[in-house]
Amino acid sequence: NAGVMQNPRHLVRRRGQEARLRCSPVKGHSHVYWYRQLPEEGLKFMVYLQKENIIDESGMPKERFSAEFPKEGPSILRIQQVVRGDSAAYFCASSQNGWTEAFFGQGTRLTVV
Amino acid sequence: GENVEQHPSTLSVQEGDSAVIKCTYSDSASNYFPWYKQELGKGPQLIIDIRSNVGEKKDQRIAVTLNKTAKHFSLHITETQPEDSAVYFCAAITRRGSQGNLIFGKGTKLSVKP
C-alpha cells in the first residue's frame, strides 16, 4: 500500500556500522509491525509497537536491535554494529487499531559488506 | 502464542486452472485472517481477508473460506492467470484488548504457466 512509506529502499553498511530504517505509517494508523525477510523465505515477526509503546518485541534480538515509534515522526528500527547476517529485507506494516487491515511498505533492503 | 502453518510451499498450475492454498492456526482466539500477495522485490499486498464471524468471502476470482472448528482457512484462486504468479502469505491476528499481533505462515510460491 502506497500509504506506508519506508526509507531508504536500499541501504548498504559496512560491518560494525549502524543502520537506521524508517517507517511512516498510513495517516491515522497508530500500530506498527516490523518484519524481516530473507531471500526465498517468509516474514519473520520482529516487533510490534503502538505510539510511544513497545507491545511485543519477542521476535527482535536483544542485542544490537532496538525499535521506537515516537509520538511525532516515523517508527525507527535501529541495528547497531551490523554484521553480514543482518543482510535482509525489512518490512514494516501499519494498522489503524491492531486488529484490522494491516498494510505494508515496500521494504528496506539492507546489505552489509 | 499463535502459530500459523501454510501448505503447500510451492504450487504450479496451468493458466485457467484453480489454485488452493491452505493454512491452519493454533490459537482459537484468533479472529481475523488476511491473505497477502508478494511480487518479486515488492512489499506484501493485502488481497482479501475474513473475520471469524464469517465462513466465506469472495472477491472476483479469489475467495477465502474459514472453518473455525477445525481452525483452518483457505485461499481459492479460480481461472488463474500468469500475473497471479507470486508468493502468497496467510496470517492470523488474535485481538487482545486494544492490541493484536499479526503472525504469518511461511508462504506459498505460486507459478501459473501459460
Side-chain angles (χ1 to χ4, degrees):
Chain A
N1 184 293
V4 178
M5 303 300 294
Q6 287 189 250
N7 65 82
R9 291 293 307 277
H10 300 275
L11 181 61
V12 179
R13 284 286 178 266
R14 295 185 184 281
R15 281 178 293 172
Q17 291 184 320
E18 178 178 284
R20 281 196 179 204
L21 287 62
R22 294 176 183 77
C23 170
S24 296
V26 172
K27 188 175 181 181
H29 285 193
S30 59
H31 296 248
V32 165
Y33 307 85
W34 284 93
Y35 296 85
R36 169 187 160 117
Q37 186 176 43
L38 293 170
E40 304 293 319
E41 293 193 9
L43 295 153
K44 183 176 181 297
F45 168 75
M46 298 183 72
V47 62
Y48 167 28
L49 308 109
Q50 192 178 0
K51 277 288 186 180
E52 300 185 88
N53 293 303
I54 295 177
I55 305 303
D56 182 351
E57 57 183 347
S58 60
M60 195 163 66
K62 290 183 171 22
E63 309 265 332
R64 303 188 297 109
F65 286 73
S66 63
E68 63 178 12
F69 188 16
K71 187 176 180 180
E72 300 291 337
S75 175
I76 305 287
L77 179 66
R78 183 183 293 110
I79 311 173
Q80 296 177 302
Q81 299 172 0
V82 296
V83 300
R84 288 244 170 92
D86 296 332
S87 296
Y90 292 84
F91 290 96
C92 80
S94 77
S95 170
Q96 184 175 23
N97 50 25
W99 62 86
T100 55
E101 297 89 342
F103 299 103
F104 279 82
Q106 293 299 306
T108 293
R109 280 147 187 86
L110 172 66
T111 303
V112 179
V113 297
Chain B
E2 176 64 280
N3 183 48
V4 178
E5 301 280 343
Q6 183 171 347
H7 301 278
S9 56
T10 59
L11 179 60
S12 182
V13 300
Q14 288 295 133
E15 182 178 359
D17 287 351
S18 294
V20 180
I21 301 170
K22 299 181 179 182
C23 289
T24 60
Y25 60 98
S26 60
D27 191 340
S28 56
S30 290
N31 50 15
Y32 173 66
F33 307 91
W35 286 87
Y36 290 83
K37 175 183 180 182
Q38 186 177 28
E39 296 174 323
L40 198 61
K42 297 185 177 181
Q45 178 187 7
L46 178 66
I47 56 171
I48 195 168
D49 56 17
I50 191 167
R51 301 194 182 281
S52 57
N53 59 348
V54 176
E56 183 174 358
K57 183 176 179 180
K58 190 173 182 180
D59 183 3
Q60 299 184 334
R61 294 187 300 107
I62 58 174
V64 58
T65 59
L66 171 66
N67 184 326
K68 284 183 62 180
T69 303
K71 289 192 280 188
H72 68 69
F73 55 113
S74 301
L75 177 72
H76 304 253
I77 306 174
T78 58
E79 300 171 23
T80 54
Q81 301 167 2
E83 49 266 39
D84 294 329
S85 296
V87 179
Y88 291 81
F89 293 98
C90 63
I93 283 185
T94 305
R95 177 180 176 180
R96 301 198 190 284
S98 62
Q99 293 137 13
N101 210 342
L102 185 59
I103 302 298
F104 284 85
K106 291 190 183 302
T108 296
K109 185 174 183 178
L110 174 64
S111 299
V112 179
K113 299 183 177 180

